[in-house]
């Protein structure tokens, strides 16, 4: 196993060099990873980022755009022939058509290459002439990152931890009842394996809908092209480290190990280990709306995600990273257009506090990290209204489900993030004296001036942090 890891690492190391300098022309490549749990906003983020890099009129805080250093931007064929292309054109036309809709969310790993022609202003720039920089954007589900923890766990350990977590979750009751009636030492029958795996997947899906983020294996909910394969047909089982040969338990154990070797490791080796810069999108407002437990899960998930960027901790990661590391990581709270800008500092303070705690928990000291609140696509306008003698800062938009206009006052976020994070950590089940609302707005109809990308909030600041230093 150690030998295998070393061999894995060596091949990657050689390929990595090739990745970062493209072809004979020595054109630099930045591989930008975009991740986050399901529905965090990855697809919308990439679509809007690319549109706003192609048409940079709304990107004043990206210095290379406002200074004119970026002369041109265009899409090019991606370097990896076997990875799905991020379907930018379809997503953009869904968002910006006459009847705008949200695009289909991320389900698997995909990639898009955006190339920039850059000429620094001033004497140096004039001397050196224009150069090309490629940005390879890699979109992948955050759930897959959480699978990293499985590499350190045996089937028995993973089963025990998972079943303990599920024990007090009502949405897992049906699966747990089915498990009770099961004898894992009985001979393996594929039908039983499928039934119990389906019940487990159902429990994971229900937990996710309640805002429970920490659900492994990540592929059970986002199988990509592995749906229905044996490697995704297993479930945690109680007890036994040693199941008899030919038993259901033995087969589940084998499939768990196959999942680690054939699904988890290749993803980390082929995609994750090549990333230079990373943005992790977090639906903090959605978690706050769901309640303290969901926010606590978000906090724990952020720490788990961050620990994947600390290769020193894990022998397998060390072997595939070979001493290099992700240089910058941005944690961004998405969908900030659900809040009037007067409350953006509070949201930013919460995501900053979450990041600080995640860093402490993951014992993380590595890449340059930052926290921000953004909206990749602004779907609302702001208003100040009088309500029962009180002045409220609200946002207004068209509701996605009914297509009716509505004004939203989401609740008052505390100035001190501790006031919301402490009850979450203490395990409270509801917010004591506050209520946080959320609405699903449809994307607003866009009329764009030539040269302008879609409206956003601080996408330019996010791009400056992630890419700015490489574009000067
Ligand atoms: P993914 O699963 O991470 O790819 O998530 P998506 O990018 O598909 O976003 C999930 C949903 O979040 C979308 O369908 C929208 O409802 C919402 N959303 C994402 N980004 C924004 C945003 O910037 N503003 C608003 N108002 N909603 C957003």
């Amino acid at each position: 196993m150690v030998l295998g890891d070393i061999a894995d690492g060596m091949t990657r190391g050689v390929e990595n060099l090739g990745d970062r300098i493209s072809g004979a022309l020595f054109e630099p490549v930045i591989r930008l990873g975009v991740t986050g749990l399901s529905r965090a906003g990855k697809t919308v983020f990439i679509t809007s980022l690319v549109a706003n890099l192609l048409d940079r009129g709304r990107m004043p805080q990206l210095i290379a755009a406002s200074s004119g250093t970026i002369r041109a931007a265009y899409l090019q064929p991606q370097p990896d022939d076997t990875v799905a292309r991020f379907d930018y054109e379809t997503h953009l036309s869904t968002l910006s058509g006459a009847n705008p809709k949200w695009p289909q969310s991320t389900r698997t790993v995909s990639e898009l290459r955006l190339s920039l022609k850059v000429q620094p202003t001033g004497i140096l720039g004039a001397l050196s002439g224009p150069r090309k920089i490629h940005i390879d954007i890699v979109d992948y589900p955050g759930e897959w990152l959480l699978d990293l923890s499985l590499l350190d766990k045996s089937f028995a350990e993973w089963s025990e931890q998972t079943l303990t977590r599920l024990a007090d979750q009502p949405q897992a009751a049906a699966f747990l009842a089915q498990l009770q009636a099961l004898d894992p030492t009985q001979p393996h029958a594929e039908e039983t394996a499928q039934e119990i795996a389906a019940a487990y997947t159902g429990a994971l899906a229900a937990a996710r809908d309640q805002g429970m983020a920490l659900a492994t294996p990540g592929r059970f909910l986002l199988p990509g092209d592995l749906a229905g394969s044996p490697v995704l047909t297993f479930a945690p089982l109680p007890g036994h480290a040693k199941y008899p040969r030919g038993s259901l338990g033995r087969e589940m154990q084998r499939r768990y190990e196959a999942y680690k070797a054939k699904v988890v490791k290749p993803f980390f080796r082929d995609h994750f280990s090549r990333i230079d810069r990373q943005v992790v999108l977090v639906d903090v407002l959605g978690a706050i709306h769901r309640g303290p437990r969901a926010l606590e899960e978000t906090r724990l998930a952020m720490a788990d995600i961050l620990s994947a960027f600390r290769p020193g901790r894990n022998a397998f990661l060390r072997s595939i990273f070979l001493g290099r590391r992700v240089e910058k990581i941005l944690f961004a709270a998405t969908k900030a257009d659900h809040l009037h800008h007067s409350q953006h500092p509070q949201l930013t303070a919460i995501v900053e506090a979450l990041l600080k705690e995640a860093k402490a928990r993951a014992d993380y000291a590595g890449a340059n990290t930052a926290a921000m609140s953004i909206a990749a696509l602004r779907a609302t306008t702001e208003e100040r209204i009088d309500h029962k003698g009180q002045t409220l800062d609200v946002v207004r938009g068209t509701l996605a489900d009914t297509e009716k206009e509505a004004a939203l006052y989401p609740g008052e976020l505390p100035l001190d993030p501790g006031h919301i994070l402490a009850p979450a950590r203490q395990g409270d089940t509801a917010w004591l004296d506050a209520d946080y609302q959320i609405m699903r707005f449809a994307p607003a109809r866009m009329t764009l001036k030539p040269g302008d990308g879609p409206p956003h909030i601080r996408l330019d600041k996010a791009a400056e942090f992630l890419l700015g230093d490489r574009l000067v």
Side-chain angles (χ1 to χ4, degrees), residues 94-431:
T94 312
L95 278 172
S96 60
N99 182 16
K101 299 251 177 314
W102 296 109
Q104 164 88 263
S105 296
T106 299
R107 293 177 180 275
T108 185
V109 56
S110 69
E111 184 178 312
L112 189 70
R113 169 165 282 195
L114 176 84
S115 299
L116 302 177
K117 198 162 117 192
V118 172
Q119 179 154 26
T121 45
I123 301 176
L124 265 183
L127 286 177
S128 61
R131 18 180 215 120
K132 245 189 233 168
I133 299 179
H134 304 290
I135 304 171
D136 288 343
I137 302 175
V138 184
D139 173 27
Y140 65 94
E143 284 80 356
W144 295 7
L145 269 192
L146 299 178
D147 276 348
L148 184 68
S149 66
L150 302 186
L151 296 182
D152 300 329
K153 286 181 202 153
S154 69
F155 179 66
E157 286 164 337
W158 170 72
S159 291
E160 196 199 320
Q161 288 171 13
T162 307
L163 294 176
T164 309
R165 264 178 62 74
L166 291 181
D168 66 340
Q169 294 185 17
Q171 63 273 10
F175 163 67
L176 295 173
Q178 214 165 319
L179 204 58
Q180 283 244 310
L182 192 82
D183 174 8
T185 60
Q186 75 191 50
H188 168 73
E190 191 54 36
E191 209 183 336
T192 319
Q194 284 177 10
E195 276 168 20
I196 197 76
Y200 178 58
T201 311
L204 287 182
R208 179 196 50 197
D209 295 343
Q210 299 291 315
M212 303 290 129
L214 300 164
T216 55
R219 299 277 171 136
F220 276 41
L221 294 179
L222 289 161
D225 52 7
L226 293 172
S229 65
V231 88
L232 300 194
T233 313
F234 64 91
L237 298 177
H240 269 272
K242 272 207 165 306
Y243 297 103
R245 247 167 201 254
S247 66
L248 182 74
R250 181 70 82 92
E251 181 60 14
M252 298 260 140
Q253 200 170 24
R254 191 194 67 74
R255 289 180 185 187
Y256 171 81
E257 292 302 331
Y259 179 82
K260 291 195 316 193
K262 300 203 173 126
V263 179
V264 181
K265 282 191 172 181
F267 164 71
F268 279 91
R269 194 179 52 227
D270 300 341
H271 302 289
F272 185 69
S273 71
R274 296 163 63 196
I275 285 167
D276 302 309
R277 311 266 161 121
Q278 177 69 51
V279 51
V280 181
L281 303 175
V282 191
D283 184 6
V284 176
L285 285 174
I288 293 175
H289 165 69
R290 287 198 191 95
R293 255 190 108 160
L295 186 62
E296 178 62 1
E297 288 268 325
T298 303
R299 184 176 79 85
L300 298 175
M302 276 175 69
D304 274 13
I305 288 177
L306 202 57
S307 61
F309 294 97
R310 225 192 84 191
R313 197 189 61 111
N314 178 299
F316 169 68
L317 278 190
R318 267 202 312 275
S319 76
I320 57 173
F321 270 94
L322 282 178
R324 58 174 290 269
R325 67 173 181 213
V326 176
E327 303 150 339
K328 287 187 164 206
I329 308 171
L330 171 66
F331 281 85
T334 50
K335 313 180 196 178
D337 57 328
H338 285 90
L339 278 185
H340 190 278
H341 76 267
S342 56
Q343 288 214 62
H344 286 183
Q346 285 93 308
L347 179 61
T348 307
I350 293 171
V351 68
E352 274 168 353
L354 283 169
L355 172 60
K356 200 166 149 213
E357 293 195 10
K359 277 168 97 168
R361 195 179 140 87
D363 190 16
Y364 184 84
N368 191 349
T369 52
M372 283 177 203
S373 49
I374 64 164
L377 193 91
R378 180 175 211 149
T380 61
T381 52
E382 298 188 338
E383 267 175 36
R384 184 160 270 195
I385 59 168
D386 287 324
H387 179 71
K388 297 186 182 160
Q390 219 189 334
T391 308
L392 292 181
D393 284 340
V394 300
V395 292
R396 178 179 291 281
T398 307
L399 294 177
D401 301 329
T402 58
E403 298 189 5
K404 290 211 170 89
E405 274 234 343
L408 165 70
Y409 179 69
E412 192 72 36
L413 291 178
L415 286 169
D416 176 354
H419 291 175
I420 204 161
L421 295 177
R425 201 169 326 116
Q426 284 156 16
D428 288 8
T429 48
W431 303 117

Side-chain angles (χ1 to χ4, degrees), residues 17-48:
L17 263 187
D19 279 346
R20 308 188 87 200
I21 307 171
S22 164
L25 295 168
F26 296 103
E27 291 162 357
V29 177
I30 311 171
R31 279 182 85 85
L32 172 65
V34 179
T35 198
L37 298 175
S38 196
R39 309 206 57 77
K42 298 177 289 296
T43 311
V44 178
F45 177 87
I46 297 176
T47 308
S48 184

Side-chain angles (χ1 to χ4, degrees), residues 451-471:
D452 274 3
H456 62 80
I457 299 172
R458 285 183 286 276
L459 193 61
D460 49 348
K461 196 172 168 209
E464 175 63 25
F465 173 77
L466 290 165
L467 307 168
D469 60 315
R470 297 280 300 272
L471 304 180

